Amino acid sequence: HVQLVESGGGSVQAGGSPRLSCAASGITGRSVCMGWIRQAPGKEREGVASVDSDSKTRYADSVKGRFTISKDNAKNTLYLQMNSLKPEDTATYYCAADPSLWAKLDRHEYNYWGQGTQVTVST
C-alpha cells in the first residue's frame, strides 16, 4: 500500500522560502520516480519538479532557479525547497510517485498521489 503524506504548506509572503516534505511508504526499489505537481485555482495540475532514482532532476521553466527538489532515501522523504516565491506560485502542491526510471513532469504519468498541501503566497 503506497502512502504519500505532504507537509510544510501554509501562507507565505512573496519572496519567502518554505520547504515542503513528503513522507513516502510502500514504494521502494531501484526504479522510482518522484515529483511535485501543483494545481492553482481554476487551472489544471502541472508538473513542477521531479527526481529519479539516480537523483537526476527536471524542473518546469516557471520554477527553474527558484525551486529545488531533493530526497533523503534513508528517511523515505521527498523535499521541495521553494525560494523567491511569487503570488503565481499559489497552489495546492501534490507529492506523486511512480515506478519508473526517469524523472518526469507529466502529471498523467504518475500512479500514486498524496492528498496535497496548500501554499498561498501573498504580496
Side-chain angles (χ1 to χ4, degrees), residues 96-115:
D98 191 70
S100 168
L101 282 174
W102 316 113
K104 48 197 178 183
L105 296 177
D106 187 341
R107 61 186 175 90
H108 297 101
E109 297 186 32
Y110 284 95
N111 283 302
Y112 303 105
W113 293 80
Q115 291 301 306

Side-chain angles (χ1 to χ4, degrees), residues 12-84:
V12 188
Q13 285 198 324
S17 300
R19 186 177 76 163
L20 304 182
S21 299
C22 171
S25 61
I27 183 165
T28 57
R30 180 68 184 89
S31 302
V32 176
C33 160
M34 297 193 72
W36 290 96
I37 313 294
R38 70 184 179 185
Q39 186 168 22
K43 296 187 177 181
E44 292 188 348
R45 293 186 184 186
E46 62 166 347
V48 173
S50 178
V51 59
D52 68 16
S53 295
D54 291 327
S55 296
K56 294 178 183 174
T57 58
R58 293 183 64 186
Y59 294 94
D61 289 343
S62 57
V63 306
K64 276 182 184 176
R66 299 190 298 123
F67 290 10
T68 301
I69 189 170
S70 62
K71 58 181 181 175
D72 185 329
N73 291 327
K75 295 182 179 179
N76 289 327
T77 301
L78 180 73
Y79 301 101
L80 184 68
Q81 178 65 51
M82 302 187 291
N83 297 327
S84 303

